[in-house]
Amino acid sequence: MGVTSKPVEPGIVPSRFRCAVISAASRGVYPFVGAPLSITAEVRIKINTIDKSQLRTAAGMFVDKTESEIGEIVSEVIQSIQTACARRYTLEEIRGSSFVADVVEAAKRDLSVLGLVLIDYDVKDIEPENVDYLELARHNNNDGRTNGEKEQQY
């Protein structure tokens, strides 16, 4: 009797199937308050082979794509999720676990549409970008003008 590998959780394929590790770097991410950040993360994904409809979806989406092209697609998905989630948090909160939980939840949902399963999401680096403080003031006012420009208009 041979040893069979079991998925760690539903939808995760057994270890004999290949897992892809993809880097996702989001630049110019504005948190809820503060200066723009760069968020770099690493994700591990697999094709969902448990659910036949998702396997067909993945096959249809990626049959003519190279590994590099698939990596770019996944990276873009993760970058957009990181950006969207970061806008709801301060820098301190982004460094916490609720930001990661939100990204993982959204990534699992979005990647499943592609027939993929998120195995792991790991934030590698969060750092502030060089700041143009006038541009930051415009961004924080949400209408492209600084407070001084608003006062002059009235």
Side-chain angles (χ1 to χ4, degrees):
M1 188 189 296
V3 176
T4 58
S5 58
K6 281 177 65 176
V8 176
E9 65 180 68
I12 297 180
V13 297
S15 61
R16 68 180 177 270
F17 294 102
R18 205 170 110 194
C19 175
V21 178
I22 298 163
S23 180
S26 303
R27 307 276 181 245
V29 175
Y30 281 89
F32 184 67
V33 176
L37 308 169
S38 291
I39 302 173
T40 305
E42 194 173 83
V43 295
R44 287 184 19 209
I45 59 157
K46 288 187 178 185
I47 293 175
N48 187 337
T49 59
I50 306 282
D51 182 328
K52 300 246 190 250
S53 69
Q54 284 202 344
L55 180 58
R56 279 191 291 275
T57 298
M61 300 243 354
F62 302 123
V63 70
D64 62 342
K65 305 277 190 253
T66 65
E67 285 184 34
S68 176
E69 290 170 325
I70 295 169
E72 287 176 34
I73 292 167
V74 171
S75 181
E76 288 174 12
V77 168
I78 299 299
Q79 288 170 20
S80 66
I81 292 169
Q82 289 177 153
T83 300
C85 288
R87 290 184 177 150
R88 297 190 302 258
Y89 293 99
T90 64
L91 174 59
E92 292 77 23
E93 293 168 331
I94 289 171
R95 294 182 190 272
S97 61
S98 54
F99 168 74
V100 171
D102 279 357
V103 171
V104 167
E105 181 182 327
K108 283 183 176 183
R109 184 182 58 246
D110 289 1
L111 292 173
S112 73
V113 172
L114 302 174
L116 302 173
V117 177
L118 179 69
I119 306 297
D120 188 41
Y121 172 83
D122 185 27
V123 175
K124 294 295 184 185
D125 191 32
I126 300 172
E127 61 183 45
E129 293 188 347
N130 292 331
V131 179
D132 174 350
Y133 287 98
L134 185 57
E135 181 60 32
L136 180 61
R138 288 185 177 124
H139 181 272
N140 286 340
N141 284 325
N142 295 323
D143 66 358
R145 296 177 293 158
T146 64
N147 285 332
E149 290 171 336
K150 282 183 179 182
E151 290 168 8
Q152 290 174 0
Q153 185 181 26
Y154 297 111

